[in-house]
Amino acid sequence: MNDKIKIALFLVLAYIAVPLALGSNAYVIGLIVAALTIGGIAVAWALLGNLGGMVSFGHAAFFGVGAYVSALLTLKGGWPVFPSMLMAGIGAAIASVATMPALRLRGPYFALAILAYAEIFRILATEAKPITGGAAGLLSIPRLPIVLGLDFGSKLGGYFVILTIVAASMAVYHLIRSSTYGLALKAMHDSEDATRVVGVNSTLLKAWMLAVSAFITGVVGAFNAHYINFLEPDYAFAGQWTTLAIVSAIFGGYRTVTGPLLGALVVYLVDQLAFKPILPQGHQIVLGVLLGAMILFSPGGLMPLLLAKKKGPAHAA
């Protein structure tokens, strides 16, 4: 089965089969929307980590910036929701410029620096009370609109919106990885010093990847703001957005295009539907054990493991 057929089957399953089978179950659809939200951030995180070679602990910064940009544009600027969501991505990409000094750092130093930026943005959102509402947050954020009779503000409508965002993000990931930029990024990842010697501007490449990753995360954050219709700094910039994305990407296989989404769906849905009812107070411990087991027995993640069983030697999807 070639890749085009696989993609077509995935789209049919995601856009038709799932809504038909589960559309009447608002609870499960709500869980899937939450999993896809995490999956969108996980794809953005994996894009930066795999192609850019940078591990980020601060993607909550871009999620929060995107959420606030879109919320403020619609609340105070009167913008339509969907254009505001695109502007939120641009706003998050612009916000990534503030993190540019950290690009000269490597490894854990870069990761910790981005984490610090996330906290800075949270403090700014809290202190800018006349604009952001401060710690009290923003209420009555405009919901996703009704278009051609489909209420995107409903759980099922929200499912279609976030699914489209995640699918587009995965397409961007694939296109970049397959392009000449992807080859340059791979070379930079293997040896940054060597790429500089041959004239590749590694800092510019990393800045570009950070901006793309921030854009995707910002759009996801904007979606979430309009989906729940409420926003406050501790929620928008919460570390859980980064933590869950990292866990999902690693569990699913962050070096593959589909792995981060698969990881988010498996990790979040299994946790909420299986572990949480049994262990309401300690269900995340089980997830930690599973993640540890995955790293030990399949360091590449779940997707390469599935491909290895199907095809023999694993190849990134």
Side-chain angles (χ1 to χ4, degrees):
M1 187 182 297
N2 61 41
D3 290 340
K4 290 183 179 180
I5 295 177
K6 290 180 182 178
I7 293 172
L9 289 175
F10 168 76
L11 293 176
V12 169
L13 177 66
Y15 281 97
I16 299 176
V18 170
L20 286 176
L22 301 172
S24 60
N25 192 327
Y27 174 68
V28 175
I29 288 293
L31 290 180
I32 295 175
V33 169
L36 288 172
T37 301
I38 296 167
I41 308 171
V43 171
W45 185 89
L47 187 150
L48 182 66
N50 183 29
L51 299 184
M54 295 174 283
V55 176
S56 166
F57 288 167
H59 261 55
F62 309 129
F63 181 92
V65 168
Y68 269 101
V69 167
S70 191
L72 291 171
L73 283 175
T74 52
L75 271 175
K76 301 187 177 184
W79 280 51
V81 171
F82 287 138
S84 295
M85 289 172 61
L86 288 176
M87 287 303 299
I90 295 173
I94 293 173
S96 73
V97 174
T99 68
M100 293 303 176
L103 292 178
R104 297 189 177 277
L105 302 175
R106 299 185 185 183
Y109 303 105
F110 171 81
L112 292 174
I114 297 298
L115 177 61
Y117 278 107
E119 181 63 14
I120 290 171
F121 283 127
R122 186 193 67 80
I123 294 172
L124 289 174
T126 303
E127 296 300 323
K129 189 173 181 179
I131 301 174
T132 64
L138 298 172
L139 300 174
S140 302
I141 296 172
R143 67 201 304 271
L144 295 163
I146 299 174
V147 179
L148 300 177
L150 178 58
D151 183 7
F152 287 111
S154 66
K155 290 189 181 298
L156 184 59
Y159 165 80
F160 285 119
V161 174
I162 188 60
L163 175 63
T164 302
I165 292 171
V166 174
S169 301
M170 291 167 60
V172 169
Y173 189 169
H174 173 72
L175 289 173
I176 293 176
R177 192 177 70 166
S178 304
S179 68
T180 54
Y181 288 106
L183 293 175
L185 287 163
K186 185 179 185 303
M188 182 192 73
H189 197 181
D190 293 338
S191 177
E192 185 172 341
D193 292 332
T195 55
R196 285 177 177 171
V197 169
V198 297
V200 175
N201 190 329
S202 59
T203 301
L204 182 61
L205 277 177
K206 290 195 291 185
W208 180 61
M209 288 308 303
L210 182 61
V212 173
S213 183
F215 177 89
I216 294 171
T217 308
V219 173
V220 174
F223 161 79
N224 186 257
H226 294 290
Y227 182 72
I228 66 173
N229 314 122
F230 169 76
L231 200 59
E232 53 92 17
D234 287 342
Y235 172 82
F237 296 96
Q240 67 173 351
W241 298 117
T242 302
T243 304
L244 289 173
I246 293 174
V247 170
S248 299
I250 293 175
F251 189 89
Y254 78 98
R255 294 192 182 279
T256 69
V257 174
T258 53
L261 174 59
L262 176 65
L265 291 171
V266 171
V267 167
Y268 189 80
L269 294 180
V270 170
D271 177 54
Q272 294 295 310
L273 295 174
F275 298 150
K276 190 174 182 179
I278 299 172
L279 295 170
Q281 303 301 322
H283 57 100
Q284 292 180 335
I285 296 176
V286 181
L287 281 181
V289 173
L290 288 179
L291 178 62
M294 180 63 72
I295 292 173
L296 286 174
F297 296 104
S298 180
L302 181 59
M303 181 57 70
L305 180 63
L306 294 176
L307 292 176
K309 287 185 176 181
K310 185 176 180 180
K311 298 181 179 179
H315 296 282

